[in-house]
Amino acid sequence: MKKKSAVHLSLVGGLVLLVAQLSLFGLLLYPYNPHHHTFLKDVEAVANITSKLHMSVFAVDSQVLQHFTNHENDLRSRCVLCEAKYPATFVTLFTGLKQSEEFVFLLQQARFHVVTLQNTNPPEVPSGISINIPICYLLKRNTVIHLVLFHERDGNYWWHGNLLSDPRAISELSAFGLSVHSVQMMKTEGAFDKFETEVVSMSGIPFLIPKDIPRFLHDASSSRFIECSHTLADSFHRSHGRDTTHEALRFVHRAWKLLSKTKTLLDKLGIRFWISSGTCYFHQCDIIPYSKDVDVGIFITDYSEKILREFLAHGFTLKHWFGRVNDSLELSFSSGDLKLDIFFFYEDGPYLWNGGTQAKSGKKFKYLFPRFTLCWTEFLELKVRVPCETQAYIEANYGSDWFTPVTHWDWKSSPPNVRENGEWPAEEWAEVMRVYS
Protein backbone atom coordinates (compact mmCIF):
# COMPACT_ATOMS: atom_id res chain seq x y z
CA MET A 1 0.00 0.00 0.00
CA LYS A 2 2.81 2.40 0.87
CA LYS A 3 4.47 1.48 -2.45
CA LYS A 4 1.30 2.40 -4.42
CA SER A 5 1.00 5.72 -2.54
CA ALA A 6 4.60 6.52 -3.39
CA VAL A 7 3.93 5.78 -7.06
CA HIS A 8 0.85 8.02 -7.01
CA LEU A 9 2.80 10.81 -5.37
CA SER A 10 5.54 10.46 -7.94
CA LEU A 11 3.00 10.63 -10.78
CA VAL A 12 1.29 13.70 -9.31
CA GLY A 13 4.64 15.36 -8.69
CA GLY A 14 5.68 14.62 -12.27
CA LEU A 15 2.46 16.11 -13.64
CA VAL A 16 2.84 19.24 -11.52
CA LEU A 17 6.42 19.63 -12.75
CA LEU A 18 5.30 19.12 -16.38
CA VAL A 19 2.54 21.73 -16.04
CA ALA A 20 5.00 24.17 -14.50
CA GLN A 21 7.47 23.57 -17.34
CA LEU A 22 4.76 24.05 -19.98
CA SER A 23 3.57 27.23 -18.28
CA LEU A 24 7.12 28.55 -18.18
CA PHE A 25 7.58 27.62 -21.83
CA GLY A 26 4.32 29.43 -22.69
CA LEU A 27 5.44 32.52 -20.83
CA LEU A 28 8.73 32.50 -22.71
CA LEU A 29 6.88 32.28 -26.03
CA TYR A 30 4.00 34.60 -25.13
CA PRO A 31 5.04 36.58 -22.06
CA TYR A 32 2.35 38.31 -20.07
CA ASN A 33 2.23 41.95 -21.01
CA PRO A 34 0.13 44.22 -18.79
CA HIS A 35 -0.20 46.74 -21.63
CA HIS A 36 -1.66 44.06 -23.93
CA HIS A 37 -4.03 42.96 -21.17
CA THR A 38 -5.45 46.45 -20.59
CA PHE A 39 -5.55 47.14 -24.33
CA LEU A 40 -7.61 44.00 -24.97
CA LYS A 41 -9.96 44.88 -22.11
CA ASP A 42 -10.52 48.33 -23.67
CA VAL A 43 -11.09 46.88 -27.14
CA GLU A 44 -13.50 44.30 -25.73
CA ALA A 45 -15.46 47.02 -23.92
CA VAL A 46 -15.76 49.08 -27.12
CA ALA A 47 -16.80 45.96 -29.07
CA ASN A 48 -19.52 45.18 -26.52
CA ILE A 49 -20.94 48.71 -26.80
CA THR A 50 -20.92 48.70 -30.61
CA SER A 51 -22.57 45.28 -30.59
CA LYS A 52 -25.30 46.58 -28.28
CA LEU A 53 -25.97 49.44 -30.72
CA HIS A 54 -25.77 47.11 -33.77
CA MET A 55 -22.80 49.07 -35.12
CA SER A 56 -20.50 47.33 -37.59
CA VAL A 57 -16.83 47.61 -36.59
CA PHE A 58 -14.00 46.75 -38.97
CA ALA A 59 -10.49 45.86 -37.85
CA VAL A 60 -8.40 47.74 -40.42
CA ASP A 61 -5.05 48.20 -38.67
CA SER A 62 -2.47 47.29 -41.32
CA GLN A 63 -0.21 45.30 -38.99
CA VAL A 64 -3.13 43.39 -37.48
CA LEU A 65 -4.39 42.43 -40.94
CA GLN A 66 -0.95 41.39 -42.14
CA HIS A 67 -0.37 39.35 -38.98
CA PHE A 68 -3.80 37.78 -39.34
CA THR A 69 -2.98 36.74 -42.92
CA ASN A 70 0.38 35.29 -41.93
CA HIS A 71 -0.93 33.34 -38.91
CA GLU A 72 -4.54 32.58 -39.85
CA ASN A 73 -4.16 28.93 -38.83
CA ASP A 74 -2.57 29.74 -35.49
CA LEU A 75 -4.81 32.44 -34.06
CA ARG A 76 -5.66 30.74 -30.75
CA SER A 77 -2.08 30.91 -29.55
CA ARG A 78 -1.39 34.43 -30.78
CA CYS A 79 -2.64 37.84 -29.74
CA VAL A 80 -3.17 39.22 -33.24
CA LEU A 81 -4.77 42.41 -31.93
CA CYS A 82 -1.64 43.04 -29.85
CA GLU A 83 0.21 43.65 -33.13
CA ALA A 84 -1.78 46.86 -33.68
CA LYS A 85 0.13 50.07 -34.25
CA TYR A 86 -0.36 52.80 -31.68
CA PRO A 87 -2.99 54.13 -31.63
CA ALA A 88 -4.97 51.07 -32.77
CA THR A 89 -7.27 51.90 -35.67
CA PHE A 90 -10.79 50.60 -36.26
CA VAL A 91 -13.59 51.72 -38.57
CA THR A 92 -17.33 51.95 -38.09
CA LEU A 93 -20.10 53.21 -40.35
CA PHE A 94 -21.81 56.50 -39.59
CA THR A 95 -25.58 55.96 -39.38
CA GLY A 96 -26.75 59.23 -37.90
CA LEU A 97 -26.27 61.72 -35.09
CA LYS A 98 -28.68 59.98 -32.71
CA GLN A 99 -26.67 56.77 -32.71
CA SER A 100 -23.44 58.76 -32.43
CA GLU A 101 -24.68 60.53 -29.30
CA GLU A 102 -25.83 57.26 -27.74
CA PHE A 103 -22.48 55.65 -28.54
CA VAL A 104 -20.55 58.45 -26.83
CA PHE A 105 -22.84 58.28 -23.78
CA LEU A 106 -22.28 54.53 -23.34
CA LEU A 107 -18.52 54.93 -23.77
CA GLN A 108 -18.46 57.58 -21.05
CA GLN A 109 -20.53 55.30 -18.81
CA ALA A 110 -17.80 52.68 -19.32
CA ARG A 111 -15.21 55.24 -18.09
CA PHE A 112 -13.74 56.10 -21.50
CA HIS A 113 -12.49 59.60 -22.18
CA VAL A 114 -14.06 60.39 -25.57
CA VAL A 115 -13.17 63.10 -28.08
CA THR A 116 -15.38 63.44 -31.15
CA LEU A 117 -13.67 65.19 -34.06
CA GLN A 118 -15.96 66.81 -36.62
CA ASN A 119 -15.91 68.03 -40.20
CA THR A 120 -16.00 71.58 -38.87
CA ASN A 121 -13.77 73.37 -41.37
CA PRO A 122 -13.17 71.16 -44.43
CA PRO A 123 -11.08 72.54 -47.33
CA GLU A 124 -14.20 72.12 -49.45
CA VAL A 125 -17.71 71.24 -48.26
CA PRO A 126 -18.30 67.62 -49.31
CA SER A 127 -21.09 66.93 -51.77
CA GLY A 128 -23.99 65.46 -49.81
CA ILE A 129 -22.05 65.54 -46.50
CA SER A 130 -22.93 68.22 -43.94
CA ILE A 131 -20.34 70.18 -42.06
CA ASN A 132 -20.09 69.57 -38.31
CA ILE A 133 -20.75 65.85 -38.69
CA PRO A 134 -18.53 63.44 -36.67
CA ILE A 135 -15.57 62.07 -38.63
CA CYS A 136 -13.86 60.02 -35.90
CA TYR A 137 -13.61 59.26 -32.20
CA LEU A 138 -10.51 59.24 -30.02
CA LEU A 139 -11.10 56.92 -27.05
CA LYS A 140 -8.98 56.32 -23.99
CA ARG A 141 -9.48 54.36 -20.82
CA ASN A 142 -6.07 52.72 -20.50
CA THR A 143 -4.86 52.93 -24.09
CA VAL A 144 -5.84 55.06 -27.07
CA ILE A 145 -8.17 53.75 -29.78
CA HIS A 146 -8.79 55.65 -33.02
CA LEU A 147 -12.25 54.87 -34.39
CA VAL A 148 -12.69 56.24 -37.92
CA LEU A 149 -16.15 56.93 -39.31
CA PHE A 150 -16.94 55.86 -42.89
CA HIS A 151 -19.70 57.91 -44.53
CA GLU A 152 -21.63 56.58 -47.52
CA ARG A 153 -21.46 58.91 -50.52
CA ASP A 154 -23.82 59.31 -53.47
CA GLY A 155 -21.41 57.40 -55.71
CA ASN A 156 -22.03 54.27 -53.57
CA TYR A 157 -18.64 54.25 -51.86
CA TRP A 158 -17.27 55.06 -48.40
CA TRP A 159 -15.58 58.35 -47.59
CA HIS A 160 -13.69 59.43 -44.49
CA GLY A 161 -12.66 62.91 -43.46
CA ASN A 162 -9.35 64.60 -42.76
CA LEU A 163 -8.39 65.04 -39.10
CA LEU A 164 -7.35 68.62 -39.75
CA SER A 165 -10.89 69.48 -40.87
CA ASP A 166 -11.46 69.91 -37.13
CA PRO A 167 -9.33 72.84 -35.86
CA ARG A 168 -9.14 71.14 -32.44
CA ALA A 169 -7.47 68.02 -33.83
CA ILE A 170 -3.83 68.89 -33.15
CA SER A 171 -4.40 69.92 -29.53
CA GLU A 172 -6.71 66.97 -28.84
CA LEU A 173 -4.19 64.51 -30.30
CA SER A 174 -1.43 66.15 -28.29
CA ALA A 175 -3.45 65.65 -25.10
CA PHE A 176 -3.37 61.91 -25.90
CA GLY A 177 0.37 62.05 -26.57
CA LEU A 178 -0.21 61.77 -30.32
CA SER A 179 0.27 63.79 -33.49
CA VAL A 180 -1.30 63.72 -36.94
CA HIS A 181 1.73 61.72 -38.14
CA SER A 182 1.16 58.97 -35.56
CA VAL A 183 -2.29 57.97 -36.85
CA GLN A 184 -2.69 55.45 -39.68
CA MET A 185 -5.72 57.00 -41.34
CA MET A 186 -7.18 60.47 -41.89
CA LYS A 187 -3.99 62.39 -42.69
CA THR A 188 -6.03 63.30 -45.77
CA GLU A 189 -9.59 62.62 -46.83
CA GLY A 190 -10.00 59.10 -48.20
CA ALA A 191 -12.34 57.03 -50.34
CA PHE A 192 -12.90 53.26 -50.49
CA ASP A 193 -15.02 51.10 -52.72
CA LYS A 194 -17.39 49.13 -50.53
CA PHE A 195 -15.73 45.82 -49.71
CA GLU A 196 -16.97 42.41 -48.59
CA THR A 197 -16.26 41.46 -45.00
CA GLU A 198 -16.19 38.36 -42.82
CA VAL A 199 -16.46 37.88 -39.06
CA VAL A 200 -13.37 36.57 -37.29
CA SER A 201 -12.48 36.13 -33.65
CA MET A 202 -9.36 37.93 -32.48
CA SER A 203 -8.38 37.19 -28.89
CA GLY A 204 -11.97 36.07 -28.36
CA ILE A 205 -13.41 39.36 -29.67
CA PRO A 206 -15.49 39.19 -32.88
CA PHE A 207 -14.60 41.70 -35.60
CA LEU A 208 -15.35 42.28 -39.24
CA ILE A 209 -12.32 42.25 -41.53
CA PRO A 210 -12.04 42.70 -45.32
CA LYS A 211 -12.38 39.37 -47.13
CA ASP A 212 -9.67 40.37 -49.57
CA ILE A 213 -7.01 41.73 -47.22
CA PRO A 214 -4.27 42.35 -49.86
CA ARG A 215 -6.74 44.28 -52.00
CA PHE A 216 -7.86 46.37 -49.02
CA LEU A 217 -4.29 47.21 -47.99
CA HIS A 218 -3.49 48.19 -51.58
CA ASP A 219 -6.60 50.37 -51.78
CA ALA A 220 -5.79 51.96 -48.42
CA SER A 221 -2.38 53.03 -49.70
CA SER A 222 -3.99 54.90 -52.62
CA SER A 223 -7.20 56.14 -50.98
CA ARG A 224 -6.46 59.89 -50.92
CA PHE A 225 -9.55 61.91 -51.87
CA ILE A 226 -9.95 65.54 -52.93
CA GLU A 227 -13.30 67.26 -53.14
CA CYS A 228 -14.28 69.08 -56.28
CA SER A 229 -14.15 72.83 -55.65
CA HIS A 230 -17.86 73.65 -55.52
CA THR A 231 -16.97 77.15 -54.35
CA LEU A 232 -14.91 77.69 -57.49
CA ALA A 233 -17.62 76.11 -59.65
CA ASP A 234 -20.24 78.50 -58.23
CA SER A 235 -17.92 81.42 -58.96
CA PHE A 236 -17.38 80.17 -62.50
CA HIS A 237 -21.10 79.86 -63.16
CA ARG A 238 -21.78 83.31 -61.71
CA SER A 239 -19.14 84.79 -64.02
CA HIS A 240 -19.88 82.82 -67.17
CA GLY A 241 -23.35 81.41 -66.72
CA ARG A 242 -24.56 77.90 -67.49
CA ASP A 243 -25.28 76.47 -70.89
CA THR A 244 -28.76 75.06 -70.37
CA THR A 245 -29.67 74.62 -74.00
CA HIS A 246 -31.24 71.30 -74.95
CA GLU A 247 -28.15 70.42 -77.00
CA ALA A 248 -25.77 71.09 -74.09
CA LEU A 249 -27.84 69.20 -71.52
CA ARG A 250 -28.21 66.26 -73.89
CA PHE A 251 -24.45 66.13 -74.49
CA VAL A 252 -23.65 66.26 -70.76
CA HIS A 253 -26.09 63.42 -70.06
CA ARG A 254 -24.71 61.23 -72.85
CA ALA A 255 -21.10 62.05 -72.01
CA TRP A 256 -21.77 61.05 -68.39
CA LYS A 257 -23.10 57.68 -69.56
CA LEU A 258 -20.02 57.22 -71.75
CA LEU A 259 -17.69 58.05 -68.85
CA SER A 260 -19.62 55.72 -66.54
CA LYS A 261 -19.33 52.86 -69.05
CA THR A 262 -15.62 53.59 -69.53
CA LYS A 263 -15.12 53.45 -65.76
CA THR A 264 -16.93 50.11 -65.55
CA LEU A 265 -14.75 48.53 -68.24
CA LEU A 266 -11.41 49.89 -66.99
CA ASP A 267 -12.26 49.06 -63.36
CA LYS A 268 -13.06 45.51 -64.48
CA LEU A 269 -9.58 45.28 -66.02
CA GLY A 270 -7.98 46.82 -62.93
CA ILE A 271 -6.52 49.70 -64.98
CA ARG A 272 -6.07 53.09 -63.32
CA PHE A 273 -7.35 56.05 -65.29
CA TRP A 274 -8.17 59.67 -64.61
CA ILE A 275 -10.48 62.22 -66.19
CA SER A 276 -8.37 64.53 -68.26
CA SER A 277 -8.19 67.52 -70.59
CA GLY A 278 -11.61 68.86 -71.57
CA THR A 279 -13.38 66.46 -69.25
CA CYS A 280 -11.34 67.52 -66.22
CA TYR A 281 -13.79 68.94 -63.75
CA PHE A 282 -11.84 71.61 -61.91
CA HIS A 283 -13.65 74.84 -62.76
CA GLN A 284 -17.17 73.47 -63.21
CA CYS A 285 -17.53 70.21 -61.23
CA ASP A 286 -19.32 69.09 -64.36
CA ILE A 287 -18.71 67.91 -67.90
CA ILE A 288 -17.82 70.85 -70.13
CA PRO A 289 -20.69 70.98 -72.67
CA TYR A 290 -18.65 72.47 -75.51
CA SER A 291 -15.79 69.91 -75.31
CA LYS A 292 -17.79 67.46 -77.47
CA ASP A 293 -15.83 64.39 -76.37
CA VAL A 294 -14.67 62.51 -73.27
CA ASP A 295 -10.94 62.36 -72.42
CA VAL A 296 -9.20 60.04 -69.99
CA GLY A 297 -5.54 59.46 -69.17
CA ILE A 298 -3.72 56.20 -68.42
CA PHE A 299 -0.08 55.65 -67.49
CA ILE A 300 1.63 53.67 -70.25
CA THR A 301 2.88 51.29 -67.55
CA ASP A 302 -0.76 50.28 -67.06
CA TYR A 303 -1.35 49.58 -70.76
CA SER A 304 -2.90 46.22 -71.58
CA GLU A 305 -3.92 44.64 -74.88
CA LYS A 306 -7.16 43.75 -73.08
CA ILE A 307 -8.29 47.40 -73.31
CA LEU A 308 -8.96 47.20 -77.04
CA ARG A 309 -10.66 43.80 -76.81
CA GLU A 310 -12.86 44.84 -73.88
CA PHE A 311 -14.05 48.09 -75.48
CA LEU A 312 -14.78 46.45 -78.84
CA ALA A 313 -16.67 43.65 -77.09
CA HIS A 314 -18.92 46.21 -75.36
CA GLY A 315 -20.17 48.21 -78.31
CA PHE A 316 -17.34 50.69 -78.87
CA THR A 317 -15.89 51.24 -82.33
CA LEU A 318 -12.18 51.96 -82.80
CA LYS A 319 -11.93 55.34 -84.51
CA HIS A 320 -8.16 55.65 -84.63
CA TRP A 321 -4.94 54.18 -83.25
CA PHE A 322 -1.99 56.58 -83.23
CA GLY A 323 1.58 55.81 -82.18
CA ARG A 324 3.12 52.75 -80.59
CA VAL A 325 3.01 51.39 -77.07
CA ASN A 326 6.51 52.79 -76.48
CA ASP A 327 5.85 56.16 -78.15
CA SER A 328 2.86 58.54 -78.28
CA LEU A 329 0.09 55.94 -78.06
CA GLU A 330 -3.41 57.35 -78.32
CA LEU A 331 -6.65 55.41 -78.83
CA SER A 332 -9.90 56.97 -79.94
CA PHE A 333 -13.23 55.14 -79.78
CA SER A 334 -16.70 56.14 -80.82
CA SER A 335 -19.94 55.25 -79.11
CA GLY A 336 -22.80 56.46 -81.24
CA ASP A 337 -21.75 59.94 -82.29
CA LEU A 338 -19.67 60.57 -79.12
CA LYS A 339 -15.90 60.17 -79.02
CA LEU A 340 -13.75 58.75 -76.22
CA ASP A 341 -10.05 59.62 -76.34
CA ILE A 342 -7.59 57.61 -74.25
CA PHE A 343 -4.23 59.35 -73.85
CA PHE A 344 -1.28 57.34 -72.57
CA PHE A 345 1.28 59.13 -70.41
CA TYR A 346 5.06 58.59 -70.42
CA GLU A 347 7.86 59.60 -68.04
CA ASP A 348 10.55 62.07 -69.10
CA GLY A 349 12.72 63.39 -66.25
CA PRO A 350 10.69 65.90 -64.20
CA TYR A 351 7.78 65.62 -66.64
CA LEU A 352 5.01 63.31 -67.70
CA TRP A 353 3.81 63.64 -71.28
CA ASN A 354 1.29 62.32 -73.73
CA GLY A 355 1.60 62.36 -77.48
CA GLY A 356 -0.45 63.65 -80.40
CA THR A 357 -0.29 62.77 -84.09
CA GLN A 358 -1.54 64.69 -87.14
CA ALA A 359 -2.85 62.05 -89.51
CA LYS A 360 -2.46 64.01 -92.76
CA SER A 361 1.19 64.94 -92.22
CA GLY A 362 2.63 62.41 -89.77
CA LYS A 363 3.70 65.24 -87.46
CA LYS A 364 4.16 64.29 -83.81
CA PHE A 365 3.43 66.49 -80.83
CA LYS A 366 4.24 66.16 -77.14
CA TYR A 367 2.23 67.65 -74.24
CA LEU A 368 4.33 68.18 -71.12
CA PHE A 369 2.93 68.06 -67.56
CA PRO A 370 4.73 68.45 -64.24
CA ARG A 371 4.75 65.09 -62.47
CA PHE A 372 1.54 64.35 -60.62
CA THR A 373 -0.04 61.69 -58.45
CA LEU A 374 -3.60 60.41 -58.52
CA CYS A 375 -6.43 61.12 -56.08
CA TRP A 376 -10.04 60.06 -55.93
CA THR A 377 -12.87 62.53 -56.33
CA GLU A 378 -16.62 62.38 -56.78
CA PHE A 379 -17.57 63.58 -60.25
CA LEU A 380 -21.31 63.60 -60.94
CA GLU A 381 -21.80 60.70 -58.50
CA LEU A 382 -18.94 58.70 -60.02
CA LYS A 383 -15.89 57.81 -57.93
CA VAL A 384 -13.08 58.57 -60.36
CA ARG A 385 -9.44 59.65 -60.25
CA VAL A 386 -8.02 63.07 -61.03
CA PRO A 387 -4.48 64.42 -60.67
CA CYS A 388 -3.97 65.38 -57.02
CA GLU A 389 -2.07 68.42 -58.26
CA THR A 390 -5.14 69.42 -60.25
CA GLN A 391 -4.49 73.12 -60.73
CA ALA A 392 -0.90 72.58 -61.91
CA TYR A 393 -2.18 69.93 -64.32
CA ILE A 394 -4.83 72.22 -65.79
CA GLU A 395 -2.53 75.25 -65.96
CA ALA A 396 -0.02 73.16 -67.91
CA ASN A 397 -2.71 72.31 -70.45
CA TYR A 398 -4.70 75.56 -70.53
CA GLY A 399 -2.43 78.28 -69.07
CA SER A 400 -2.88 80.58 -66.10
CA ASP A 401 -6.16 81.94 -67.51
CA TRP A 402 -7.74 78.47 -67.55
CA PHE A 403 -10.71 79.85 -65.61
CA THR A 404 -11.93 81.64 -68.75
CA PRO A 405 -13.87 79.33 -71.08
CA VAL A 406 -12.24 78.65 -74.46
CA THR A 407 -14.69 77.48 -77.12
CA HIS A 408 -12.26 77.59 -80.07
CA TRP A 409 -9.35 75.26 -79.56
CA ASP A 410 -6.61 73.98 -81.85
CA TRP A 411 -5.05 70.92 -80.29
CA LYS A 412 -1.77 71.49 -82.19
CA SER A 413 -1.16 75.09 -81.11
CA SER A 414 -3.54 76.27 -78.36
CA PRO A 415 -2.17 74.29 -75.36
CA PRO A 416 0.79 76.11 -73.74
CA ASN A 417 2.42 72.74 -72.99
CA VAL A 418 2.48 71.45 -76.59
CA ARG A 419 5.83 70.85 -78.31
CA GLU A 420 6.63 69.59 -81.79
CA ASN A 421 8.12 66.12 -81.54
CA GLY A 422 9.34 65.20 -85.02
CA GLU A 423 7.49 63.16 -87.64
CA TRP A 424 6.61 59.56 -88.21
CA PRO A 425 8.58 58.15 -91.19
CA ALA A 426 6.30 57.67 -94.20
CA GLU A 427 7.07 53.94 -94.34
CA GLU A 428 5.63 53.56 -90.80
CA TRP A 429 2.38 55.43 -91.38
CA ALA A 430 0.35 52.30 -91.96
CA GLU A 431 1.38 51.01 -88.54
CA VAL A 432 1.34 54.19 -86.43
CA MET A 433 -1.60 56.06 -87.98
CA ARG A 434 -4.52 53.68 -88.26
CA VAL A 435 -7.70 55.59 -89.00
CA TYR A 436 -11.02 53.75 -89.29
CA SER A 437 -14.23 54.97 -90.86
Side-chain angles (χ1 to χ4, degrees):
M1 187 69 100
K2 289 182 179 180
K3 190 174 182 180
K4 285 185 179 180
S5 298
V7 170
H8 288 157
L9 286 171
S10 297
L11 287 173
V12 170
L15 285 171
V16 170
L17 181 62
L18 179 61
V19 169
Q21 289 174 331
L22 289 173
S23 299
L24 180 61
F25 183 64
L27 285 171
L28 289 172
L29 282 178
Y30 311 109
Y32 174 76
N33 187 318
H35 170 75
H36 289 170
H37 179 72
T38 55
F39 167 66
L40 291 176
K41 287 292 185 184
D42 287 353
V43 171
E44 184 177 26
V46 173
N48 288 337
I49 292 170
T50 56
S51 175
K52 182 177 181 180
L53 296 176
H54 305 290
M55 295 168 63
S56 299
V57 178
F58 308 146
V60 297
D61 185 284
S62 59
Q63 289 190 188
V64 167
L65 293 179
Q66 287 168 352
H67 205 73
F68 177 87
T69 301
N70 295 337
H71 303 284
E72 191 171 354
N73 297 321
D74 190 25
L75 295 180
R76 289 186 179 180
S77 60
R78 292 180 180 273
C79 178
V80 176
L81 282 174
C82 298
E83 299 297 323
K85 294 180 180 179
Y86 185 78
T89 304
F90 299 89
V91 163
T92 189
L93 305 179
F94 178 74
T95 56
L97 290 174
K98 183 177 179 181
Q99 186 186 67
S100 177
E101 292 168 359
E102 190 173 0
F103 178 54
V104 170
F105 173 76
L106 291 176
L107 286 168
Q108 291 170 338
Q109 291 290 99
R111 296 184 295 106
F112 280 93
H113 173 48
V114 185
V115 172
T116 305
L117 295 182
Q118 298 177 315
N119 206 42
T120 307
N121 187 29
E124 193 66 41
V125 177
S127 176
I129 301 287
S130 302
I131 60 171
N132 299 326
I133 57 165
I135 53 176
C136 76
Y137 307 104
L138 297 171
L139 319 174
K140 184 174 183 181
R141 190 166 64 178
N142 298 292
T143 56
V144 180
I145 295 171
H146 182 207
L147 186 58
V148 180
L149 285 166
F150 273 7
H151 293 258
E152 184 173 354
R153 294 284 294 254
D154 289 339
N156 195 33
Y157 63 94
W158 287 321
W159 167 90
H160 69 70
N162 179 347
L163 282 168
L164 296 182
S165 293
D166 190 323
R168 301 172 299 128
I170 293 176
S171 61
E172 294 290 2
L173 286 166
S174 179
F176 283 110
L178 302 171
S179 70
V180 173
H181 299 293
S182 58
V183 298
Q184 286 187 62
M185 297 177 72
M186 299 185 69
K187 294 182 180 70
T188 66
E189 293 179 36
F192 289 81
D193 286 335
K194 292 181 178 178
F195 48 85
E196 289 187 66
T197 59
E198 60 182 340
V199 180
V200 299
S201 177
M202 295 185 183
S203 304
I205 307 170
F207 281 106
L208 292 170
I209 64 168
K211 269 191 175 181
D212 189 341
I213 290 176
R215 171 68 183 273
F216 172 82
L217 293 175
H218 174 269
D219 289 350
S221 68
S222 57
S223 62
R224 185 181 171 192
F225 180 96
I226 55 174
E227 197 72 48
C228 177
S229 181
H230 301 287
T231 303
L232 199 60
D234 290 342
S235 175
F236 176 87
H237 290 128
R238 283 196 302 272
S239 299
H240 304 290
R242 292 177 181 267
D243 188 345
T244 57
T245 62
H246 173 74
E247 181 184 11
L249 295 176
R250 182 171 180 270
F251 169 76
V252 168
H253 174 68
R254 292 167 66 239
W256 181 90
K257 291 177 67 176
L258 177 61
L259 179 61
S260 178
K261 187 174 181 180
T262 299
K263 170 180 165 60
T264 298
L265 297 181
L266 291 176
D267 284 354
K268 177 183 174 184
L269 295 174
I271 293 175
R272 295 176 300 166
F273 76 95
W274 63 94
I275 54 176
S276 181
S277 305
T279 309
C280 204
Y281 72 116
F282 196 64
H283 59 36
Q284 288 184 234
C285 296
D286 203 345
I287 290 171
I288 300 172
Y290 49 79
S291 63
K292 302 308 179 188
D293 55 20
V294 172
D295 301 325
V296 301
I298 295 176
F299 293 122
I300 195 62
T301 50
D302 290 328
Y303 169 78
S304 168
E305 293 179 355
K306 294 178 181 178
I307 294 173
L308 183 58
R309 293 201 298 268
E310 192 72 20
F311 276 74
L312 294 180
H314 286 84
F316 285 84
T317 301
L318 183 61
K319 193 174 179 67
H320 70 239
W321 171 301
F322 289 155
R324 294 193 181 94
V325 173
N326 64 353
D327 184 7
S328 305
L329 183 63
E330 173 192 340
L331 302 181
S332 183
F333 295 93
S334 60
S335 178
D337 60 349
L338 287 187
K339 187 158 73 82
L340 168 70
D341 289 324
I342 301 180
F343 299 103
F344 291 87
F345 281 65
Y346 301 77
E347 296 184 14
D348 184 8
Y351 297 101
L352 293 168
W353 65 276
N354 71 278
T357 296
Q358 187 179 35
K360 66 180 182 181
S361 67
K363 284 186 177 180
K364 299 167 63 181
F365 298 87
K366 177 184 284 190
Y367 301 84
L368 298 175
F369 296 83
R371 282 182 176 267
F372 56 86
T373 52
L374 296 180
C375 283
W376 292 108
T377 193
E378 184 173 310
F379 181 62
L380 302 176
E381 297 186 6
L382 294 176
K383 176 177 173 272
V384 292
R385 295 179 184 87
V386 291
C388 300
E389 302 76 14
T390 314
Q391 185 162 339
Y393 182 88
I394 290 188
E395 285 186 356
N397 215 183
Y398 295 103
S400 57
D401 61 345
W402 57 270
F403 198 67
T404 303
V406 178
T407 55
H408 300 289
W409 186 261
D410 184 339
W411 62 272
K412 303 180 299 301
S413 59
S414 295
N417 63 338
V418 66
R419 307 286 185 272
E420 291 190 2
N421 193 31
E423 296 182 4
W424 293 109
E427 62 272 18
E428 297 179 8
W429 284 16
E431 178 191 352
V432 299
M433 294 189 296
R434 294 178 247 173
V435 180
Y436 303 90
S437 58

